[in-house]
Amino acid sequence: MSRDAFFLGLVSVVRIVILWCSAFWLFTMTEYGEIYGVALGPFLLFGIVSFLILWFFLQQPRTLPALTTLGTGISLVGGGVLLWRYSTLPGIFGLLFGALAVITVVYGGVRACTEPPAAAGSIGALEGTTLFALVFLWVQTATDMEPIYSIPLLAASLLSLLVVLYQRLSTVGGSSGRGRGRGLLVVGGALIVIAVALVLFMLYGAAPLGQGAVMLYYGVVYCLKLLLALFNRLLMLLAALFPGEAGEMELDPPAAMEIPEEYSDGGELNTGLLIALGIAGLCLVAVCLIYLVYRLRRLKIGGGRTAVVQTRVSRRKLSLLAWLKRIWSAVKERWLLLAAIVTMRGSPQELFLFLTRAGRRLDCARETGETPCAFVRRMAGVTAGETSEELPAALESLAAALGKCLYSREEPESFPRETARIIRKSFRRALRRARWVHLRDWLRQRFRPKPAADSRT
């Protein structure tokens, strides 16, 4: 197993342990009002040690019975120690769930050692961990759970994000690895910023957000009670139109809403605010139901498979979702290109991307089927007479270095900074010149005097 696979597998095992412990805390807090479960420290140590044992064991080819025996032994010994000494799970069902957690951790270690996580699996794990963290934070704001219990789950979310970014940057920079190191440095800084933002959200934003969600719920209930009271009054009014005992029925009192003091702050509650929140909540529920019905209408069940013969070209307008997907793909492609330029700064590949963009702006784009080296050599004649005499030699050096990077198995040498500076300076001067020419032509066309109309008598 490579070093990258070892890191990814270790992170996956740590994530499984943290998810199980957070699930224990979440379930026991909402069910019993207290925190129970397997201790995080010993459980985390068990997961790491079991993964290391399996990793060293699988350095040599092994048979499936031998691997099964080792995994069963680790599960029995580790599960017995954890559930006997470091577990506070109540009842027999709690112990069964603890045993299931131990087996899941060992199986995850075996899976990580034999089949390292792929990029799609890492993205799915990131989405699931982040969603569970949001649910955990929402329940934490509605209960008396201490904020320290959400820190491991937030750390697991950051580790999942680090794994995804690590896999994306694994091929950046070629065999030298310089661009990859810079990319990981940028990722580390981004993770620090995200961690600080999450801590600030937990301290100052989680409680107001949870209180707002609860107030939205009470607003919806209050509006439903008002609608029920109005319907009751309408029934009484209709009953009063008929003679007899039905018209002597008394009206029910108007709907009342009692909100706990921890959410209403012990003050008088504004009825108008509750009605506004209720209308907003009902509109949100209506939009969700409409979207659900729209999605269900596109689901076809039953019927036979028939071949559809299209006789003419059908034209239809793109939906808003399709437009948004196209915009998102374009923005994502742009950001990926900028990230590649930042991480490969000063390399032949980055200079080639710079020349490609400059060629499009100078009306000299790369032609279909043209090799990168031929394109670089052709760019020497684009700015003739406007740049220094050193540019053709610099572009020839760039073409040679680019050919080694693309077609040679040897490790490419670092590209000279002075040559890269000459190329950038020359083409930036040409781009500025082209912008001024375009602006001058536009101004001339804009303010050109119109010819006088011929007068006919």
Side-chain angles (χ1 to χ4, degrees):
M1 180 186 296
S2 62
R3 182 182 60 183
D4 297 343
F6 176 80
F7 169 71
L8 300 178
L10 184 61
V11 170
S12 65
V13 171
V14 171
R15 181 173 56 240
I16 293 173
V17 172
I18 293 176
L19 288 177
W20 268 111
C21 290
S22 301
F24 289 149
W25 299 336
L26 186 64
F27 176 76
T28 55
M29 183 64 194
T30 54
E31 182 70 19
Y32 302 101
E34 297 182 7
I35 299 295
Y36 295 108
V38 183
L40 177 61
F43 200 4
L44 195 60
L45 180 62
F46 164 74
I48 295 174
V49 171
S50 62
F51 175 77
L52 292 177
I53 293 174
L54 292 170
W55 183 75
F56 283 112
F57 180 75
L58 292 175
Q59 292 302 306
Q60 301 293 333
R62 307 292 181 179
T63 59
L64 183 60
L67 181 60
T68 305
T69 303
L70 179 61
T72 304
I74 294 175
S75 301
L76 292 176
V77 175
V81 174
L82 287 175
L83 298 180
W84 176 47
R85 296 293 302 273
Y86 303 102
S87 173
T88 57
L89 292 172
I92 185 65
F93 290 103
L95 296 178
L96 290 178
F97 275 105
L100 179 62
V102 172
I103 295 173
T104 305
V105 170
V106 176
Y107 175 75
V110 174
R111 182 77 177 270
C113 291
T114 55
E115 184 180 355
S122 300
I123 295 174
L126 172 61
E127 294 173 351
T129 306
T130 306
L131 180 62
F132 186 71
L134 293 176
V135 174
F136 192 91
L137 287 175
W138 182 78
V139 176
Q140 181 183 358
T141 56
T143 58
D144 297 331
M145 189 184 301
E146 297 180 1
I148 194 174
Y149 288 102
S150 60
I151 294 178
L153 195 55
L154 296 177
S157 301
L158 292 178
L159 284 176
S160 302
L161 178 60
L162 179 61
V163 166
V164 174
L165 296 177
Y166 185 83
Q167 288 179 328
R168 291 297 183 185
L169 294 173
S170 59
T171 57
V172 174
S175 57
S176 59
R178 291 177 299 170
R180 178 181 177 182
R182 293 176 185 175
L184 290 177
L185 183 62
V186 174
V187 169
L191 288 180
I192 292 175
V193 174
I194 293 173
V196 173
L198 288 176
V199 171
L200 293 177
F201 173 76
M202 289 175 54
L203 294 177
Y204 303 105
L209 183 61
Q211 185 177 2
V214 174
M215 291 298 295
L216 184 64
Y217 165 76
Y218 280 111
V220 172
V221 175
Y222 185 75
C223 285
L224 292 178
K225 284 189 175 183
L226 284 180
L227 292 177
L228 184 61
L230 292 176
F231 181 71
N232 190 16
R233 287 177 180 271
L234 179 61
L235 290 180
M236 294 300 102
L237 181 62
L238 293 177
L241 298 178
F242 296 94
E245 299 180 356
E248 301 177 357
M249 299 177 62
E250 298 181 356
L251 298 176
D252 293 339
M257 175 61 61
E258 297 180 358
I259 299 180
E261 296 182 357
E262 58 267 19
Y263 299 109
S264 61
D265 296 333
E268 296 183 357
L269 193 62
N270 190 356
T271 307
L273 178 61
L274 267 183
I275 294 177
L277 290 175
I279 294 174
L282 291 176
C283 292
L284 182 61
V285 172
V287 170
C288 294
L289 290 177
I290 292 173
Y291 179 74
L292 180 61
V293 172
Y294 173 74
R295 298 296 295 180
L296 290 177
R297 287 183 60 188
R298 301 180 61 181
L299 181 62
K300 303 296 182 180
I301 301 176
R305 296 182 179 180
T306 57
V308 179
V309 180
Q310 190 172 359
T311 57
R312 62 178 181 176
V313 178
S314 60
R315 298 181 180 272
R316 63 182 182 87
K317 295 182 178 179
L318 290 177
S319 62
L320 178 60
L321 182 60
W323 277 108
L324 292 176
K325 286 182 178 180
R326 288 191 176 185
I327 294 173
W328 168 246
S329 61
V331 172
K332 183 173 67 173
E333 182 180 359
R334 183 69 177 176
W335 277 106
L336 290 177
L337 178 61
L338 292 178
I341 292 175
V342 171
T343 54
M344 297 187 299
R345 185 72 176 176
S347 63
Q349 296 92 329
E350 188 268 335
L351 290 174
F352 173 70
L353 294 177
F354 171 76
L355 290 179
T356 304
R357 292 188 299 162
R360 287 197 298 266
R361 296 177 182 178
L362 295 174
D363 298 332
C364 185
R366 182 185 173 189
E367 299 177 356
T368 305
E370 187 177 15
T371 62
C373 298
F375 171 72
V376 171
R377 292 187 176 95
R378 184 167 60 88
M379 290 296 288
V382 175
T383 59
E386 300 179 2
T387 56
S388 61
E389 299 178 355
E390 301 175 350
L391 181 60
L395 290 177
E396 186 65 30
S397 301
L398 176 60
L402 190 62
K404 290 182 180 180
C405 292
L406 296 177
Y407 308 115
S408 178
R409 296 182 179 179
E410 299 179 358
E411 182 177 355
E413 299 179 357
S414 59
F415 195 71
R417 294 184 178 180
E418 183 65 23
T419 306
R421 187 187 66 81
I422 293 172
I423 296 174
R424 293 180 188 278
K425 184 177 179 180
S426 302
F427 279 93
R428 284 172 180 171
R429 187 185 299 117
L431 289 173
R432 287 194 297 268
R433 177 67 177 174
R435 282 194 293 266
W436 278 111
V437 170
H438 291 165
L439 178 60
R440 183 190 61 189
D441 295 341
W442 180 81
L443 291 175
R444 287 180 177 178
Q445 184 179 5
R446 182 70 176 176
F447 298 102
R448 179 184 300 173
K450 296 181 179 180
D454 297 335
S455 59
R456 298 183 180 180
T457 58

